Amino acid sequence: MKISIRRSRRAATAVALGSVLALTATACGDDGSGTGGDKGAEGSGTGKIVFWDNNGGVRTDIWKEIIADFEKANPDIEVEYVGIPSTDYQSKVDTAIQGGGLPDVGGVGAAMLAGFAAQNALEPLDDRLAKSSLNGKLNEDMVASLKAAGGGDGKLYSLPTSANNGVLYYRTDLFKKAGLDEPATWDKFYEAAEKLTDAGKNEFGYTIRGGAGSIAQALDAMYGQSGITSFWDTSGAKTTVNDPANVAALEKYAALYKKVTPAADLNNDFTKMVAQWDSGTIGMLNHNLGSYQDHVKALGTEKFRGIPQPVGSGGKRVQVSNPVDGMGLFKSSKNKEAAWKFIEFATSHDENSKFNKAAGQVPSNNDAAKDAWISEAEPTKLAAAALTDGSTTIVQLPYYLPDWNTISKADNEPNLQKVLNGDMSAKEFLDTVAGQLNEAQAEWKSRNDRP
């Protein structure tokens, strides 16, 4: 059954309105009156600003360190930190855009950027960056990615902080014991998943993501196996997501559930999945650079490795683009000058290096990317190499579509769970997703007068 894009957007907004009232009542730097389209004000450059972290809990400690550094360097500015779990962030911001209570600054990654920009909620940052000491010091590819994700007007609505990358973590101790090779290819991956599983002993070859964020991981597995290198066909109007090769890949991948994975995986988001892998005897985990430090704390550096995604049968690695993360300045802020100072500070060499070392991600600041810790964090080093040495083809996801985040999360995560359970075919699932994406692409093209 085809789901209307417009209907799903209204439904998501209605749910968000009910869930965020408590948060918006206690926020924010625009005194609770700001909505999308509010022009805000430059302010005095001093006083209080509010920052919403889009990965609260996971990144709270490092952000509090950066805020403490900022307040020491800028004693006339106070930053109020509000940590919001990544799974709740989009709905919180969408609700605040409609009802008031936006912060001054917030985490704004590529995946949700177009939706916020389409609601006229974000301040363009091009002119501010051009006058900043950061001009020319940020990774050009990350800046370009965020410009492309902004919805089609070519403006920069979020200053990049980091880039993530998909990583296949595997237990080197378990692989050695079983006499298995590194899972550097998809064939080796499936072989290891099978051989490392003994459900009677609660030992499993893999942990699959079935809860929040599951579709991004499924897309990586699909395109990685199929070898398809573009998200759209040559016309640019039809997605390749339901190409027969991708359907076959998802069928094979979904069949892992409960055969070589724990049953609890059906509802596991990344935090539960990571905790399960760190504390158990599971052979492999597909996540990203962000969980590297968690694995080090749990396992040390001798019992696991984190390598780039497996190589396909054609000898090439194909993976979907992982969204660049960044910081946005909300247009309704009444203290934009102070808010911009905070964004500049957070993306400066020392602070950007500190943040990404803690997160295990690739820094946006070019000077930070040269710091010694990069070569010491093996998954980050390998990921950076894989993205630059020609071994990897990136399938660019359509972050520019305002409905991308809704389609790839709330609208279809429950259906992917049905696929894992055997209650929906991979083809039916992907045909549904493709129908929504094609409709969203047509709307975007018509709105931007594109052929």
Side-chain angles (χ1 to χ4, degrees):
M1 181 181 72
K2 188 176 181 180
I3 301 171
S4 166
I5 298 291
R6 295 182 181 88
R7 185 168 72 247
S8 67
R9 184 191 301 160
R10 288 197 299 268
T13 301
V15 170
L17 280 167
S19 67
V20 78
L21 289 177
L23 180 62
T24 56
T26 58
C28 266
D30 68 348
D31 71 15
S33 63
T35 57
D38 186 338
K39 293 182 179 180
E42 284 298 308
S44 64
T46 61
K48 178 182 173 182
I49 59 172
V50 176
F51 167 57
W52 283 8
D53 175 10
N54 61 344
N55 202 359
V58 178
R59 302 282 177 256
T60 295
D61 290 344
I62 186 59
W63 272 121
K64 287 191 172 179
E65 280 189 40
I66 292 171
I67 289 169
D69 291 345
F70 176 75
E71 290 179 339
K72 183 177 180 181
N74 298 270
D76 53 356
I77 302 175
E78 175 191 354
V79 180
E80 179 184 333
Y81 171 88
V82 179
I84 302 171
S86 60
T87 52
D88 299 335
Y89 190 77
Q90 183 179 7
S91 67
K92 303 291 189 187
V93 175
D94 282 338
T95 299
I97 290 172
Q98 299 301 319
L102 283 167
D104 300 280
V105 180
V108 182
M112 62 187 72
L113 179 55
F116 297 162
Q119 297 176 80
N120 200 27
L122 295 168
E123 180 90 354
L125 301 177
D126 305 81
D127 290 344
R128 295 177 192 271
L129 178 58
K131 300 172 185 175
S132 170
S133 60
L134 290 173
N135 191 29
K137 293 188 176 181
L138 298 179
N139 183 288
E140 292 182 3
D141 290 336
M142 295 188 202
V143 172
S145 292
L146 289 181
K147 283 187 176 183
D153 64 5
K155 294 181 180 179
L156 181 66
Y157 290 103
S158 180
L159 208 68
T161 54
S162 57
N164 217 332
N165 201 48
V167 177
L168 181 61
Y169 294 103
Y170 73 99
R171 290 282 299 270
T172 51
D173 55 342
L174 301 182
F175 271 68
K176 183 178 180 180
K177 183 179 179 182
L180 288 166
D181 295 332
E182 181 175 87
T185 68
W186 282 102
D187 287 343
K188 296 286 187 184
F189 165 82
Y190 281 107
E191 178 190 354
E194 187 83 31
K195 192 166 183 179
L196 292 172
T197 297
D198 187 339
K201 295 182 180 179
N202 203 34
E203 297 173 353
F204 298 95
Y206 186 55
T207 174
I208 197 168
R209 189 168 181 170
S214 58
I215 290 177
Q217 186 182 95
L219 289 172
D220 239 348
M222 286 160 44
Y223 282 91
Q225 294 174 82
S226 72
I228 295 170
T229 57
S230 175
F231 196 78
W232 302 102
D233 67 8
T234 53
S235 73
K238 302 293 183 183
T239 180
T240 59
V241 85
N242 60 338
D243 183 282
N246 275 334
V247 173
L250 182 58
E251 287 172 344
K252 186 173 184 180
Y253 184 71
L256 295 172
Y257 174 61
K258 284 203 298 190
K259 181 182 177 184
V260 299
T261 80
D265 281 355
L266 185 68
N267 297 302
N268 279 354
D269 60 11
F270 84 91
T271 54
K272 294 175 183 175
M273 187 175 66
V274 166
Q276 179 178 259
W277 192 73
D278 285 344
S279 63
T281 51
I282 299 174
M284 295 176 289
L285 160 75
N286 205 304
H287 190 229
N288 57 46
L289 294 169
S291 60
Y292 173 67
Q293 294 297 341
D294 294 317
H295 308 322
V296 172
K297 290 176 185 176
L299 301 169
T301 58
E302 302 302 318
K303 292 183 179 180
F304 81 97
R305 284 193 78 200
I307 61 175
Q309 298 286 21
V311 171
S313 57
K316 286 282 289 183
R317 181 183 298 106
V318 177
Q319 65 183 61
V320 299
S321 54
N322 281 276
V324 175
D325 206 2
M327 300 175 72
L329 173 58
F330 286 98
K331 187 174 288 188
S332 58
S333 170
K334 301 299 189 292
N335 202 354
K336 293 178 184 177
E337 184 179 340
W340 173 248
K341 286 180 183 178
F342 178 58
I343 293 174
E344 278 188 306
F345 186 86
T347 47
S348 65
H349 177 179
D350 289 345
E351 302 303 318
N352 189 243
S353 184
K354 180 184 294 187
F355 174 83
N356 282 287
K357 183 177 182 180
Q361 297 175 176
V362 181
S364 62
N365 187 293
N366 291 327
D367 292 330
K370 299 173 185 175
D371 287 348
W373 68 265
I374 294 285
S375 60
E376 296 167 3
E378 186 188 34
T380 304
K381 179 182 178 181
L382 293 176
L387 293 174
T388 57
D389 66 6
S391 66
T392 304
T393 300
I394 302 295
V395 177
Q396 295 295 337
L397 297 178
Y399 298 124
Y400 57 84
L401 294 178
D403 287 299
W404 165 252
N405 228 28
T406 301
I407 293 170
S408 63
K409 293 183 182 292
D411 275 1
N412 290 297
E413 284 175 350
N415 283 342
L416 184 55
Q417 290 180 320
K418 292 180 181 178
V419 175
L420 295 177
N421 265 330
D423 298 327
M424 176 182 279
S425 72
K427 185 178 187 306
E428 183 182 359
F429 167 71
L430 292 176
D431 283 346
T432 298
V433 175
Q436 295 176 343
L437 287 166
N438 293 340
E439 182 182 344
Q441 177 79 337
E443 288 183 6
W444 181 82
K445 283 191 168 190
S446 65
R447 191 167 56 246
N448 290 277
D449 296 320
R450 305 211 173 199

